Amino acid sequence: MKHLEDTPWWICDNGDTNYCAYMDTDSVYLTAEPLLLHLYPDFEDKNDEDKDNILEKVALKYQDIITKYYDTLAKDCFNSPNHRLDMKTEAVIRTAYFRATRRYAQWITKKEGLEVNELDIKGLEFMKANFPPILGEFFNSILKQVLKGENHDKILIQIKDFKQQILTGAISITKLGNPTRVTKLEKYSGRSARAGEMFTVIEKGAPAPVRAAIRYNDLLKFWQLDKKHNYITQSDKIKWVYMQNNPYKIEALGFLEYDIPDKIQEFMEKYVDRQKIFDSILLNKLEGFFGDLEWSLDLNPHKGAFTFFDI
């Protein structure tokens, strides 16, 4: 769990332990484990439900202590004998992952005194609109399993299997494309291809999705497919993928998911860079996640292959 990296001295003196795991505008998340182990030495031997009940009991007790201290705070800081300050225990969280401000996931088992079973996930990268849904669904599944206690080795096996599905073509390329809306297409489209030429000139500074869209339109025209299929136009929602070395030296190619000519889809399937899609979109997110958990992320498919041999 990440903690605040820079804690002011008036919150936590140098040398003291910082128990604040996360905070935002109106909430504070505190690590309760040291206090629970002090009050209940056998805490780890109890079942999850008993742990939740004990944690709620302790939280409510300290809620009252803090609320009472607000009397002193109001007098000392605001010179007022009366106030409406109040501390409230909001939820009991069995496990949580805090990536950054307003980017977190938590497994809530009690909320305002009621038993619940909620996974609250906010702001993490895989939830963004430009993240391929199939990759987001996989990351979401891994995250939920980690929150519920799945071990490192089983998570790693699932990632290796999913990677193989991507690399071997078991997952269609149309599901792996980066979704986005094309803007500034006209701004970066330069001179059209002349006689004997194939490609439109792309102006410097064009974003990757725009370059990919322009190259799709070029292929559509060059292969004379534009009579039956639509060009990508300004503000269209598209997907785009990285390409391996190919006869046309196209680095990235966009497409309209609902209107892909067979010839272009075959070209993409043949030359799409599935390794780069995995590495640039999913792997770097997994590396950040595993790093926060202090887990290793070794995706070598042959690891352990020689454990039965004496060398």
Side-chain angles (χ1 to χ4, degrees):
M1 180 185 294
K2 281 192 168 184
H3 283 240
L4 298 177
E5 295 182 0
D6 298 314
T7 308
W9 62 266
W10 60 85
I11 294 179
C12 182
D13 292 334
N14 289 332
D16 286 351
T17 301
N18 173 28
Y19 295 109
C20 180
Y22 173 80
M23 66 174 62
D24 55 27
T25 307
D26 59 355
S27 300
V28 178
Y29 295 76
L30 300 172
T31 302
E33 185 179 37
L35 181 60
L36 293 170
L37 291 175
H38 175 73
L39 295 173
Y40 302 89
D42 62 341
F43 182 77
E44 294 294 352
D45 298 328
K46 299 182 182 297
N47 61 46
D48 289 337
E49 289 73 18
D50 287 343
K51 288 180 179 179
D52 292 342
N53 290 331
I54 291 172
L55 176 54
E56 183 181 44
K57 178 181 177 181
V58 171
L60 290 172
K61 176 65 175 176
Y62 274 83
Q63 163 191 294
D64 295 339
I65 292 173
I66 295 172
T67 296
K68 183 172 179 57
Y69 175 73
Y70 283 153
D71 293 340
T72 302
L73 179 71
K75 292 177 182 178
D76 291 350
C77 296
F78 305 113
N79 194 29
S80 173
N82 302 311
H83 66 86
R84 297 182 182 179
L85 301 175
D86 181 63
M87 178 60 71
K88 180 181 179 183
T89 297
E90 186 175 333
V92 170
I93 302 169
R94 190 170 294 175
T95 55
Y97 167 64
F98 298 103
R99 176 68 172 162
T101 303
R102 294 184 178 82
R103 291 162 59 190
Y104 59 80
Q106 50 189 1
W107 181 15
I108 302 172
T109 53
K110 278 179 172 288
K111 183 183 288 186
E112 297 182 352
L114 300 177
E115 292 187 6
V116 296
N117 185 19
E118 297 180 4
L119 287 169
D120 180 31
I121 304 174
K122 295 284 194 304
L124 296 178
E125 290 92 335
F126 73 86
M127 303 175 72
K128 294 181 179 179
N130 64 349
F131 203 86
I134 193 168
L135 302 186
E137 290 165 8
F138 176 76
F139 196 107
N140 187 49
S141 172
I142 293 297
L143 173 61
K144 288 180 178 179
Q145 291 178 64
V146 169
L147 287 176
K148 294 199 171 184
E150 189 59 274
N151 67 58
H152 170 255
D153 290 340
K154 290 184 178 179
I155 294 293
L156 209 55
I157 289 171
Q158 293 179 60
I159 295 173
K160 290 179 181 179
D161 290 344
F162 189 68
K163 179 182 179 181
Q164 282 303 110
Q165 292 180 48
I166 293 175
L167 299 186
T168 59
I171 298 177
S172 169
I173 194 61
T174 58
K175 294 183 178 181
L176 295 174
N178 287 285
T180 189
R181 185 182 294 277
V182 179
T183 59
K184 301 181 180 179
L185 188 62
E186 297 173 357
K187 176 181 177 180
Y188 292 105
S189 296
R191 175 179 54 79
S192 298
R194 296 171 178 170
E197 295 180 340
M198 179 178 175
F199 290 136
T200 301
V201 173
I202 299 177
E203 302 294 345
K204 291 183 179 180
V210 173
R211 301 175 71 89
I214 292 173
R215 288 295 173 251
Y216 173 86
N217 289 343
D218 287 336
L219 280 185
L220 206 63
K221 184 176 182 180
F222 182 73
W223 285 337
Q224 299 180 6
L225 301 170
D226 52 328
K227 298 296 189 292
K228 294 183 178 180
H229 299 277
N230 296 317
Y231 285 112
I232 294 175
T233 59
Q234 185 80 2
S235 298
D236 275 347
K237 290 183 178 180
I238 70 164
K239 289 185 176 182
W240 66 278
V241 293
Y242 293 106
M243 304 294 287
Q244 294 177 335
N245 189 34
N246 57 82
Y248 305 115
K249 307 298 182 184
I250 296 174
E251 297 178 352
L253 193 62
F255 59 91
L256 297 164
E257 190 173 11
Y258 61 86
D259 184 26
I260 311 175
D262 291 341
K263 188 170 182 178
I264 289 183
Q265 182 154 359
E266 291 170 6
F267 176 76
M268 285 196 301
E269 291 286 357
K270 184 176 182 179
Y271 293 109
V272 68
D273 196 337
R274 291 176 174 270
Q275 182 71 55
K276 188 170 183 179
I277 290 173
F278 176 81
D279 291 346
S280 64
I281 303 176
L282 184 59
L283 180 59
N284 61 359
K285 304 299 186 297
L286 289 171
E287 287 174 337
F289 182 45
F290 272 53
D292 292 339
L293 298 174
E294 298 183 345
W295 282 4
S296 63
L297 182 59
D298 186 351
L299 298 183
N300 179 1
H302 305 296
K303 184 178 181 181
F306 302 103
T307 55
F308 299 103
F309 298 91
D310 293 329
I311 301 177

